[in-house]
Amino acid sequence: MSLQRFLSSIFILSVILAAISCNNDWLTSDYDATVQWEGAYEGPIIFGNLSLKDLLEEFDTTGYVSEDSTGFLYAAYSKDTILRASDLVKIPDQQFFQVFFRSDTNIPGSFLGMLGDTIPFVQDKGFQFEHFRDERLDSIYVKDGEMRIWVRSTIKHEGILTISSDYVFFGGQKYHKVIMISDPSGNYDTTVSIPMAGSTILLDNSVPDSSSLEIQFEFDLINSGADILSSEEVQIINSFHELEYAAAYGYAGALDSVLIDKAELEFDLLQGNFEGTIKLANPQIIVRTDNSMGVPFAVELNDLEARFQDGSSTALTIDPSANPISIAAPDFTQVGQSVKDSTRIDTTNSNIHLAATTDLRGFQYSVRVIANPEGQQDNFILDVSELNVNVEGLVPLHLRIQDVVLTDTFDFDLFSDEDTVFGPDNIDNMLIRMETDNFMPLDLGIQIYFIDTSRSWQPLDSLFGEDKNVFLSGVVNSSGRVILATNKVTEVEMSREQIKNVVDANKLLMKAYIETTDNGSRDVKFYSDYSLNFKLGTRIELHYTIEPEGH
Amino acid sequence: MPIRPLVKYTLATLLVALISWHEATAQYANTYYYMFGIPQANQLNPAFQPGCNGYLGMPFFSPIRFQVESNSITYGDIIQWNSSLNKYVTFMYSQGNKQKFMDALKPSNRIRFEAATSILSTGWRKNEWFFTLDINERFVEGTTFPRDLAEFLIYGNLRQSNFNLSDLSQNVSYFHQFAIGASYNLDDEMQFGIRAKLLFGGSNIVTKNSLMSLKTSIEEWNVQSDFMVNVSIPYLEEVPVDEDGYLDMDSLANAALDALFGFPGEIADLMTPSGFSTLGGIKNPGFAVDLGFNYFPVEKLSFSASIVDLGFIRWRNYVWNFHQKADYSFEGLEFKLDEDFSAGDAVLDSIKEQMRIKVTKEPYTTMLAGKIYLGAAYNLTEKVRFGAVFRTRIYNYQFYNQFTVSANVQPISMFSASLSYSIYGNSYTNLGIGLSLRAGPFNLFFISDQAPSAYFWPEDFTALNFRFGMNIVWGCAAMPKAMKDRPLID
C-alpha cells in the first residue's frame, strides 16, 4: 500500500471513528434554562436638608414664630386694642337759648319810641358748653357739623337780629350772623343752617368745673307802633349739631375704662395631642403702645392668669413698679406724631415663672386704661389720634422638652399592585441606613409600628430596635446654643419575615420621642439657622427567577 | 526532496509560529486556506489560483458564511453540567456556577458575529492570469463589554463598588462589496495577486471614544461618561432635538416611527435614483484592497502571505452623531417640605440635564478589520498536503491571532477533505473539518473550524463558524498537478 493511500485511509477512518464514538451527551441530555438572578445592591434613596426656618414656615401656618436679629426664635401671640379719639372726647350737641321781650306785662308801643325808630336790644352771655365727660376743652377745631339758628318772632314788629361771638370763627372771621325779621305779623319763624366745617370754637374755662361760650345777640327792633303783648316775644336758639372736631385742645378728662376684659392669648405652638412636658425658660408678656393722642395714659394689666393644658390656671401678679404701665404721650411739639412705648413683664418683675413650669396653653388678661392719671393737664387730641395697645404673649424658644411623645397614624399600602413583576417575595434581606447630622438641640427618636387593622390593630413588627434615637442632639454650649452638629448612623436590618410583616401592614403607627439636650435637664435655645440633614440609603438582596415557558 | 528534511522544515515552521505566538482571541475559517477543491480560497489570498480554469458560484450560496466568536467566555461557562441534577443548567441557575462564568471573563470581552453571502462569485483563467469578480453582502457585529458590567448586573455592587465601563461598545455594519481580483503566475515559482474592493455602506452603528465609569456607595452613585455613537441608518430623517442641539428625549419617547423614519410609501419610490442610492449605499462609499503572494522555493513546499480587508468606509448618508459627556451624582430623591416640589420630577430633570446627548450630523469613517495571513504548506504527495497558517486580525488597534495546522487530502478528484487543529488564545481544543465534493461541473463544499471540537467538547468552544458553497466549475484537472508546474491549490 502506498503511503498516500495509507494516510488517506487513516484520515477517513479517523473521521468515521470520531463520528461514531462522539460525545453526543450534550445533545441528548436535559437542559434547564431557568435563570435565577441573585444580586445585592446598595444605594441612596432619599436625602434632605431641613432648616428650622423651613420647618417653621411649613408648620407654623399662623405665622406666629419670628426671629430676632440674632436669629433667635420666638413665638408671639398678640392682640391689639385701639382707643380712638372719639372714644375719649366727643362734642355733644349744644343749644343756646335766647329770648327777647319776654315779660309778664304788655309793653305799649309808645314805650318803644317813635314809629319807624330802630331800637337795639343786646344780650351778651356766656352759655354753658356741655361736655362728654369731665373734659374741659378750651378750643375746638371743627371739621364737620352744623350750626342752626332758629328764630321765632311773635311780636308785631320787624327787626334785625344779629348774632355774633368773638369766640367762634368761620374761616378766620368772627361769627357774625344777621337775620332780617321782615314779617311784622307776629308769625315769623325761620331756621338758618350754617355748616361748621372749618370753624373754631374757643371756650372759657375760667370758672372752675365749667366751660362756657360767649355769644352776643342783638335785636334791632323797627318800631311799628304796635304793642308787645306779654305773650309775644322773640325766641332764638343757636345750636350746634353733630360737631366733629379735627382737633381739640384742653383737658381731655380722666377716662378710666376697661379696654379689654378677660381676653385670652392662646399659644398654638404649644398645643397638641402629645405626652410629656415642655417647660419654657422665659415666657413674657409685652405691652406695646402707640399713642398719638396728646394725652398721657396708664395701662394696667389685670386678671392675669396662666392657663394650662389640663384646664387649670394660676394667677399671675406683677410688681406694682411695673403695673400700671405709664404710657408716654406726644407733646405740643409733636402734634400729629405718635410715641411708642413698651413694657416687658417677665420673671424679673412678676411671678410669670409659674407659667413656665407646666404645660402653658396661654394667658388670660384684662387691660384697664386711665387717661391723665396724674390729674388735669393740657392735652390735645386730633380726630385721627388713637392709642394702640398691643398685648403680646411671647414664648421665646428657650425651653426644655422632656418625654414628649408625638403619635400619629398613616395609611400604608406597599406592593398593593398584584400585577407587578417584582414583589416582596423577591427580597431576601434589606438593610436601611440612616445617616443624620443634627444641628438642633433635640434628641429625636422614631419608632414605626406596622399595623394590620384586620387583626385588631395588632402591631406586626416595628422598624427600629432598641436604639431608636435617629437624631442625636447637637453639641450645646453653656448659653444653650448649638455649636456643633452631631452625626449618627443608624442601621436597621430587615429579614424576609420582617419584610413580609411590612407588606401585610395597612397602617403605620409612628411615634416620635422628643427631648432636648441631656434628656431635657437643661434649657436650650432655638435659632433659625438650625438644621437637620439626613440621608437614607438601602442595601438590598434580591432574587428573581425566570422560567422558560412550559417549564 | 527526501521526506525527513521536509518534515524538519515543516516542524521548524510550526515551531517558529508557536514561538511568535501572541494572544489569539479570534478565529476565522482557516481550515480551507490550504484545502483542495475550494475555488473561493482566493478570498483569503488573492494570489491563489484554483485548479480549474473557471468557476461560477451559485448566487447567495457561494459562499455563505457565518461566524460567532468570543474572546473569553466559552459555551461551558454559560451552560454548565450539573452532575447532581443530571442536566445542563445555565450559570445563572441557583445551583449554577456564576463565579466560573465571572472568572472566565477578561477585563474587556468581545463577542463578534459576522455573516456574509455572495450574490455573484466567478473567476476565469486567461493564460497565466486568473481573474475574479465577486459581489458580496456582508454583515458584521461586534459587542464589547467590560467584566465590571457583568459584575454589576450579576452580583450587584456589594462585592465591588467602582465599575469601569469604558470598554462598553457596539459596532454594527452592513455593507455591499464589489471586488475585482487578478492573480499572476510567474514561472510556476511565484504568484502575485491583488483584489480591489468597492464598498458601499448600507447601515452602521459604531461607538467611539467610550469612557464610562460608575462609582457606587450607599450614600451616592456617580456616573461619568464621555462617549460618542455614530450611526448611519437609511431613512432615519428626523431625530428630535431641542433648540440647543441636544436630543429631546421626551419627544423621542413619544415619537412614532414614521415620524423618525421617512420610509418610501411605495415600491415605486424605491425605484428612483435616490432610492437606489440609499439601498445601494452609494452615498457611503469605501474602498479596500487585498494583496497576496505565493512562493514555491522547492518542489512540494510553498509559502504564502496575504493582507486582506485593508480598507475603510466613509459614512455620509443619513448620518447622526450622538455625543454625551456627563458627570452625574445621585444622592437619592431630595425631600423638601414644599408640597409643590416633586422629588421624582426633580431627579428626572436633573438626569435629563446632566445626561444630555449632543446631536450632530457629521460624516465619519470606519475601518475594516484587516487580516494578515502567513502560511506554509508541504505537499507530501499529489493528494496529501499539510499546511500551517498564522492569521492575525487587526481591529481597533489590537491584534487577534489564530494558528491553524491542517491535513488536506484529495483521494479522488471529486472529493477532498481537510482536518485542522487551531489555537486561539487559551483555547486549545479547536478541531475543524472541511469537505468538498465535485460531481461533474458542480462543486459543493462545507467548512468549519470548530464544528467537530464543538461537538466533542462543547463546554470549551468559544466560537463557531461555517462556510458553505455551491459552484459550477470547468476546466478542472483530474488530479492536482505537481508543484513547480502549478500551485497546489485547486
Side-chain angles (χ1 to χ4, degrees):
Chain A
M1 177 184 284
S2 67
L3 180 62
Q4 68 187 35
R5 283 194 179 178
F6 174 73
L7 288 174
S8 302
S9 303
I10 292 296
F11 176 83
I12 294 168
L13 187 63
S14 301
V15 171
I16 295 169
L17 285 175
I20 63 175
S21 63
C22 68
N23 173 22
N24 64 351
D25 287 345
W26 64 283
L27 290 174
T28 59
S29 300
D30 289 338
Y31 277 81
D32 192 337
T34 301
V35 171
Q36 184 169 9
W37 174 77
E38 295 172 343
Y41 290 91
E42 65 175 16
I45 300 176
I46 193 168
F47 73 98
N49 184 344
L50 304 173
S51 70
L52 190 52
K53 198 170 185 179
D54 294 335
L55 287 167
L56 291 170
E57 283 175 3
E58 177 68 19
F59 295 108
D60 177 31
T61 56
T62 57
Y64 286 137
V65 180
S66 304
E67 61 182 276
D68 64 13
S69 59
T70 66
F72 179 55
L73 295 169
Y74 58 90
Y77 302 86
S78 63
K79 280 191 177 175
D80 284 309
T81 304
I82 298 177
L83 179 71
R84 302 188 194 283
S86 57
D87 297 324
L88 183 63
V89 172
K90 288 181 184 173
I91 311 296
D93 290 347
Q94 309 289 331
Q95 258 188 358
F96 308 124
F97 182 75
Q98 178 64 44
V99 64
F100 288 99
F101 311 115
R102 175 174 287 178
S103 76
D104 296 331
T105 58
N106 298 339
I107 301 172
S110 58
F111 281 12
L112 299 174
M114 299 298 287
L115 187 68
D117 283 349
T118 301
I119 303 104
F121 295 90
V122 178
Q123 292 283 344
D124 194 343
K125 218 158 99 171
F127 292 88
Q128 178 76 24
F129 196 90
E130 301 296 327
H131 287 294
F132 184 53
R133 284 179 288 102
D134 62 337
E135 64 270 25
R136 296 188 74 199
L137 302 174
D138 49 43
S139 55
I140 302 170
Y141 296 84
V142 181
K143 73 172 181 183
D144 200 6
E146 187 183 50
M147 177 192 288
R148 291 186 202 144
I149 305 169
W150 176 74
V151 179
R152 178 171 171 231
S153 172
T154 56
I155 62 175
K156 295 178 179 64
H157 299 268
E158 292 181 354
I160 302 169
L161 177 64
T162 304
I163 307 172
S164 64
S165 173
D166 291 339
Y167 301 97
V168 179
F169 296 84
F170 288 89
Q173 302 297 318
K174 292 180 183 177
Y175 171 42
H176 184 88
K177 183 66 180 177
V178 175
I179 298 172
M180 301 300 293
I181 300 172
S182 56
D183 183 0
S185 66
N187 295 312
Y188 181 83
D189 193 323
T190 190
T191 302
V192 175
S193 181
I194 303 172
M196 289 293 292
S199 65
T200 305
I201 301 173
L202 301 178
L203 300 175
D204 180 7
N205 294 315
S206 59
V207 176
D209 299 328
S210 82
S211 293
S212 63
L213 175 64
E214 194 171 311
I215 301 177
Q216 185 181 68
F217 294 86
E218 181 177 331
F219 183 75
D220 294 327
L221 183 140
I222 301 173
N223 193 4
S224 67
D227 295 340
I228 298 176
L229 301 177
S230 62
S231 60
E232 295 173 350
E233 58 187 11
V234 177
Q235 294 173 330
I236 304 148
I237 298 178
N238 194 145
S239 58
F240 297 121
H241 297 271
E242 295 178 352
L243 287 182
E244 293 181 17
Y245 57 90
Y249 291 81
Y251 174 59
L255 173 71
D256 189 342
S257 171
V258 176
L259 203 60
I260 301 169
D261 188 15
K262 295 183 181 175
E264 276 205 34
L265 271 177
E266 288 197 352
F267 300 150
D268 294 340
L269 196 66
L270 301 179
Q271 294 192 33
N273 182 18
F274 59 87
E275 311 164 21
T277 57
I278 300 175
K279 298 181 183 179
L280 306 172
N282 189 18
Q284 301 163 29
I285 296 174
I286 300 177
V287 179
R288 294 191 177 86
T289 58
D290 188 352
N291 184 16
S292 57
M293 297 187 193
V295 181
F297 288 91
V299 172
E300 190 175 58
L301 282 179
N302 295 322
D303 303 320
L304 194 59
E305 288 183 1
R307 298 280 175 90
F308 303 104
Q309 301 282 2
D310 61 0
S312 63
S313 62
T314 295
L316 301 177
T317 56
I318 307 172
D319 288 349
S321 62
N323 194 34
I325 305 159
S326 295
I327 307 300
D331 58 31
F332 284 89
T333 63
Q334 298 171 301
V335 176
Q337 300 175 22
S338 67
V339 171
K340 293 181 173 47
D341 203 352
S342 66
T343 300
R344 190 180 296 265
I345 309 297
D346 56 21
T347 54
T348 63
N349 55 15
S350 72
N351 65 347
I352 200 170
H353 64 276
L354 295 178
T357 57
T358 49
D359 306 323
L360 182 67
R361 193 188 74 200
F363 290 109
Q364 175 198 270
Y365 65 98
S366 298
V367 175
R368 174 186 169 208
V369 173
I370 306 164
N372 289 311
E374 304 298 325
Q376 184 171 335
Q377 60 181 305
D378 290 333
N379 306 132
F380 69 86
I381 182 165
L382 307 179
D383 57 332
V384 294
S385 295
E386 59 185 30
L387 171 67
N388 187 310
V389 179
N390 173 273
V391 178
E392 182 179 72
L394 196 67
V395 180
L397 295 190
H398 183 195
L399 44 79
R400 66 183 70 181
I401 300 172
Q402 284 179 322
D403 300 326
V404 168
V405 181
L406 300 175
T407 305
D408 206 346
T409 56
F410 305 92
D411 289 332
F412 181 72
D413 202 358
L414 197 62
F415 289 115
S416 61
D417 186 359
E418 295 179 354
D419 293 332
T420 57
V421 173
F422 192 83
D425 291 337
N426 299 112
I427 303 174
D428 295 320
N429 187 273
M430 186 161 75
L431 178 137
I432 295 174
R433 181 179 187 273
M434 169 95 85
E435 182 177 356
T436 59
D437 283 297
N438 187 5
F439 197 74
M440 289 198 195
L442 287 174
D443 288 323
L444 177 62
I446 296 174
Q447 185 56 279
I448 297 175
Y449 297 97
F450 300 96
I451 306 288
D452 184 354
T453 54
S454 67
R455 300 186 209 179
S456 305
W457 285 74
Q458 175 192 349
L460 300 177
D461 216 318
S462 61
L463 183 61
F464 296 100
E466 290 295 321
D467 179 21
K468 54 183 183 293
N469 271 346
V470 178
F471 292 89
L472 290 181
S473 168
V475 177
V476 176
N477 64 9
S478 57
S479 62
R481 176 160 193 163
V482 175
I483 54 173
L484 189 66
T486 299
N487 178 273
K488 173 109 193 273
V489 175
T490 306
E491 290 187 348
V492 175
E493 194 153 354
M494 299 183 73
S495 63
R496 293 194 74 175
E497 182 63 29
Q498 286 177 298
I499 294 168
K500 183 180 180 311
N501 288 336
V502 169
V503 173
D504 288 344
N506 57 4
K507 284 280 188 189
L508 287 184
L509 173 67
M510 190 178 89
K511 286 193 170 186
Y513 303 87
I514 307 173
E515 277 191 338
T516 47
T517 308
D518 296 336
N519 300 316
S521 61
R522 53 178 295 194
D523 294 323
V524 296
K525 292 180 180 175
F526 286 81
Y527 289 79
S528 61
D529 62 347
Y530 285 174
S531 62
L532 281 176
N533 298 335
F534 68 92
K535 292 180 188 177
L536 188 70
T538 186
R539 191 174 296 148
I540 188 166
E541 294 177 14
L542 307 160
H543 72 271
Y544 191 78
T545 302
I546 304 171
E547 292 184 352
E549 289 184 5
H551 184 81
Chain B
M1 178 181 275
I3 293 179
R4 187 173 293 179
L6 285 175
V7 171
K8 284 184 185 175
Y9 281 128
T10 305
L11 289 174
T13 305
L14 290 174
L15 190 62
V16 167
L18 285 171
I19 289 172
S20 61
W21 182 254
H22 294 290
E23 177 181 317
T25 58
Q27 46 74 40
Y28 205 73
N30 286 355
T31 301
Y32 84 122
Y33 192 84
Y34 279 123
M35 188 174 166
F36 293 106
I38 309 296
Q40 283 86 4
N42 58 25
Q43 291 184 354
L44 302 186
N45 187 332
F48 280 160
Q49 294 188 6
C52 302
N53 290 330
Y55 66 90
L56 176 65
M58 284 292 176
F60 299 101
F61 285 102
S62 192
I64 183 171
R65 66 181 172 86
F66 161 88
Q67 70 182 64
V68 61
E69 61 192 32
S70 162
N71 74 327
S72 55
I73 50 177
T74 67
Y75 175 81
D77 294 325
I78 301 172
I79 307 296
Q80 302 167 351
W81 172 255
N82 188 297
S83 54
S84 60
L85 296 173
N86 203 34
K87 60 181 175 180
Y88 282 96
V89 297
T90 67
F91 73 98
M92 290 293 288
Y93 196 76
S94 58
Q95 288 151 301
N97 191 340
K98 284 196 280 287
Q99 195 55 47
K100 178 173 183 284
F101 174 85
M102 292 299 300
D103 290 342
L105 291 175
K106 296 181 179 178
S108 179
N109 304 277
R110 289 166 201 87
I111 296 177
R112 191 167 176 275
F113 170 81
E114 185 168 349
T117 185
S118 291
I119 297 174
L120 172 65
S121 178
T122 185
W124 63 94
R125 188 184 305 282
K126 178 73 175 176
N127 299 325
E128 298 302 319
W129 292 89
F130 197 94
F131 300 98
T132 59
L133 176 65
D134 295 272
I135 301 176
N136 308 109
E137 295 293 303
R138 295 179 64 177
F139 176 82
V140 180
E141 188 272 341
T143 299
T144 304
F145 66 94
R147 185 184 187 283
D148 283 358
L149 178 64
E151 173 73 36
F152 179 76
L153 293 176
I154 293 173
Y155 285 112
N157 67 335
L158 283 193
R159 302 195 324 172
Q160 178 179 328
S161 59
N162 293 341
F163 302 87
N164 183 358
L165 307 176
S166 297
D167 286 335
L168 193 63
S169 68
Q170 175 71 37
N171 297 295
V172 181
S173 285
Y174 168 65
F175 57 96
H176 321 290
Q177 177 179 287
F178 294 81
I180 298 176
S183 169
Y184 181 75
N185 184 31
L186 180 65
D187 295 334
D188 288 343
E189 274 193 34
M190 295 181 194
Q191 288 172 332
F192 303 93
I194 184 170
R195 179 182 297 112
K197 303 176 183 176
L198 278 178
L199 309 175
F200 300 99
S203 77
N204 173 260
I205 299 174
V206 62
T207 307
K208 187 179 176 186
N209 299 332
S210 172
L211 294 173
M212 195 181 299
S213 70
L214 173 65
K215 294 179 184 175
T216 69
S217 71
I218 199 168
E219 297 175 12
E220 182 187 88
W221 281 27
N222 174 264
V223 174
Q224 292 184 352
S225 66
D226 185 356
F227 68 86
M228 177 176 282
V229 176
N230 295 322
V231 306
S232 171
I233 299 177
Y235 299 108
L236 180 59
E237 294 183 342
E238 283 297 326
V239 174
V241 294
D242 60 22
E243 60 272 11
D244 296 325
Y246 289 93
L247 186 65
D248 187 339
M249 297 298 289
D250 291 331
S251 298
L252 183 65
N254 296 322
L257 275 180
D258 54 7
L260 301 174
F261 289 89
F263 290 121
E266 298 177 356
I267 299 292
D269 295 331
L270 289 173
M271 302 292 127
T272 60
S274 173
F276 284 131
S277 170
T278 298
L279 290 177
I282 293 175
K283 292 186 180 178
N284 298 322
F287 180 77
V289 66
D290 298 345
L291 301 168
F293 167 75
N294 288 333
Y295 176 55
F296 309 97
V298 294
E299 189 179 354
K300 297 188 180 182
L301 185 65
S302 66
F303 296 100
S304 62
S306 65
I307 298 176
V308 174
D309 279 344
L310 202 64
F312 66 92
I313 297 175
R314 181 73 173 164
W315 302 90
R316 301 182 308 187
N317 197 26
Y318 291 108
V319 166
W320 298 89
N321 324 109
F322 301 95
H323 182 211
Q324 185 197 60
K325 190 167 185 178
D327 186 347
Y328 176 72
S329 292
F330 175 69
E331 295 178 297
L333 302 174
E334 186 174 7
F335 176 80
K336 282 191 176 181
L337 290 170
D338 184 358
E339 286 181 353
D340 294 331
F341 178 78
S342 167
D345 289 345
V347 166
L348 284 175
D349 289 342
S350 178
I351 291 173
K352 281 183 197 174
E353 179 62 29
Q354 293 288 328
M355 311 289 271
R356 294 192 303 175
I357 298 174
K358 186 77 174 175
V359 179
T360 53
K361 299 178 73 171
E362 297 296 326
Y364 62 95
T365 302
T366 58
M367 305 299 293
L368 296 188
K371 295 169 273 291
I372 299 174
Y373 292 88
L374 298 172
Y378 174 71
N379 281 45
L380 185 68
T381 67
E382 287 180 351
K383 299 180 182 180
V384 178
R385 176 192 300 156
F386 296 101
V389 176
F390 173 80
R391 168 186 167 273
T392 187
R393 181 167 66 92
I394 307 164
Y395 179 71
N396 220 14
Y397 307 105
Q398 294 190 353
F399 295 87
Y400 301 89
N401 302 323
Q402 176 183 343
F403 181 75
T404 301
V405 292
S406 64
N408 309 276
V409 298
Q410 189 177 25
I412 53 178
S413 62
M414 59 187 291
F415 175 74
S416 64
S418 181
L419 269 180
S420 69
Y421 172 75
S422 299
I423 299 173
Y424 14 89
N426 297 325
S427 176
Y428 295 92
T429 53
N430 302 285
L431 289 179
I433 189 169
L435 299 169
S436 174
L437 183 68
R438 179 166 63 88
F442 297 101
N443 165 245
L444 195 70
F445 65 88
F446 173 83
I447 298 161
S448 172
D449 277 348
Q450 304 86 20
S453 53
Y455 186 76
F456 292 120
W457 308 288
E459 65 275 8
D460 290 335
F461 86 89
T462 62
L464 184 66
N465 67 30
F466 73 83
R467 212 176 255 257
F468 172 75
M470 293 170 65
N471 298 302
I472 296 173
V473 295
W474 60 89
C476 301
M479 295 297 291
K481 293 188 179 177
M483 289 178 62
K484 273 290 207 167
D485 295 330
R486 283 272 191 232
L488 293 176
I489 301 168
D490 287 338

